């Protein structure tokens, strides 16, 4: 066991992470490339993790429930690599130290190199847009009178969100049309599904 890891210099990974990542040694190279592609697609914001893992499990005859620990461990590892700005060489060293064979580590590092630009872009976008919602109030209404005849009778939703900005709170007021609200609701359900996938 290595004493220090590039993806997590502050603390050593737990034994479960070693066990879950070492399961990747059982994958054939092509199967591993497909699996890693699912995880990288999620990290780059291109696809849903739950849908990708389900499709992978179904098409390869793998038990999806048994994959969850490995997915979680690989996500933790890759997010640590992103957060600590790891080079492909550092990732390979860490993967081998975590018990992966050199061949399996090379497959993951190749995917890392291929996706590094989209991972960086996605991470920056997520960092800039993440605000924790502390409180929310809503009010539903129908326009009774307006200068524009087309908007009379249209439904709207007013939201008041209190966001934790990290250095204080901010209150945000929004008014959404019904189509905008349904799009907002769809995004919230996707976020809930992603969090629920790991039982958070």
């Amino acid at each position: 066991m290595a004493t220090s890891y590039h993806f997590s210099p502050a603390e050593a990974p737990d034994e479960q992470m070693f066990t879950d990542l070492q399961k990747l040694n059982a994958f054939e190279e092509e199967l591993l490339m497909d699996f890693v592609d699912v995880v990288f697609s999620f990290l780059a914001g291109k696809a849903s993790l739950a849908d990708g893992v389900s499709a992978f499990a179904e098409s390869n005859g793998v038990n999806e429930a048994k994959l969850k620990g490995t997915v979680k461990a690989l996500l933790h590892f890759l997010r640590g690599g992103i957060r600590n700005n790891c080079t492909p060489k550092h990732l390979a060293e860490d993967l081998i130290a975590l018990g992966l064979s050199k061949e399996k580590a090379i497959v993951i590092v190749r995917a890392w190199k291929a996706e590094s630009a989209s991972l960086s872009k996605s991470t920056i976008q997520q960092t800039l847009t993440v605000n924790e919602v502390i409180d929310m109030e809503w009010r539903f209404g129908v326009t009774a009178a307006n200068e524009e005849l087309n908007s009379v009778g249209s439904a709207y939703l007013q939201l008041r969100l209190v966001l934790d900005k990290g250095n204080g709170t901010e209150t945000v007021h929004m008014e959404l049309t019904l189509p905008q609200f349904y799009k907002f609701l769809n995004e919230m359900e996707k976020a809930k599904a992603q969090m629920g996938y790991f039982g958070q």
Side-chain angles (χ1 to χ4, degrees):
M1 238 190 266
T3 55
S4 177
Y5 294 87
H6 302 286
F7 82 97
S8 180
E11 62 182 81
D14 61 13
E15 287 299 319
Q16 188 61 48
M17 185 173 181
F18 280 87
T19 304
D20 289 335
L21 281 177
Q22 288 171 8
K23 290 177 184 175
L24 295 173
N25 284 323
F27 285 46
E28 296 294 326
E29 185 174 339
E30 189 173 323
L31 191 65
L32 180 59
M33 287 190 299
D34 291 345
F35 180 72
V36 169
D37 185 52
V38 168
V39 176
F40 276 107
S41 292
F42 168 71
L43 285 173
K46 298 175 187 174
S48 160
L49 182 63
D51 292 345
V53 172
S54 292
F56 173 83
E58 188 176 314
S59 66
N60 293 294
V62 181
N63 183 339
E64 184 178 349
K66 291 183 179 180
L67 283 177
K68 284 187 180 182
T70 305
V71 171
K72 194 172 185 176
L74 187 57
L75 277 173
H76 178 73
F77 174 79
L78 294 172
R79 283 181 174 147
I82 294 167
R83 190 178 316 109
N84 292 295
N85 203 23
C86 290
T87 65
K89 181 181 182 230
H90 289 153
L91 288 180
E93 289 171 2
D94 284 354
L95 286 167
I96 292 168
L98 288 167
L100 260 69
S101 68
K102 186 175 180 181
E103 296 77 23
K104 306 303 181 193
I106 288 170
V107 169
I108 295 171
V109 169
R110 278 190 200 138
W112 175 270
K113 287 178 184 176
E115 293 289 338
S116 62
S118 59
L119 290 174
S120 296
K121 181 181 174 186
S122 176
T123 302
I124 289 169
Q125 287 174 338
Q126 289 173 9
T127 303
L128 295 175
T129 60
V130 171
N131 296 301
E132 183 179 352
V133 177
I134 298 172
D135 189 23
M136 180 174 90
E137 291 179 13
W138 60 275
R139 198 172 17 180
F140 181 75
V142 177
T143 306
N146 195 323
E147 293 175 358
E148 296 180 33
L149 188 57
N150 294 352
S151 64
V152 174
S154 63
Y156 63 89
L157 182 76
Q158 292 178 334
L159 290 174
R160 184 182 73 81
L161 303 173
V162 179
L163 305 175
D164 181 0
K165 303 292 274 182
N167 57 354
T169 62
E170 178 184 344
T171 302
V172 177
H173 296 274
M174 294 189 293
E175 187 170 310
L176 304 170
T177 64
L178 235 40
Q180 289 171 327
F181 169 70
Y182 284 123
K183 184 175 181 185
F184 174 74
L185 183 62
N186 185 33
E187 292 300 317
M188 292 297 106
E189 287 173 346
K190 282 183 191 175
K192 181 182 176 186
Q194 295 296 344
M195 289 173 33
Y197 186 76
F198 291 116
Q200 295 175 339

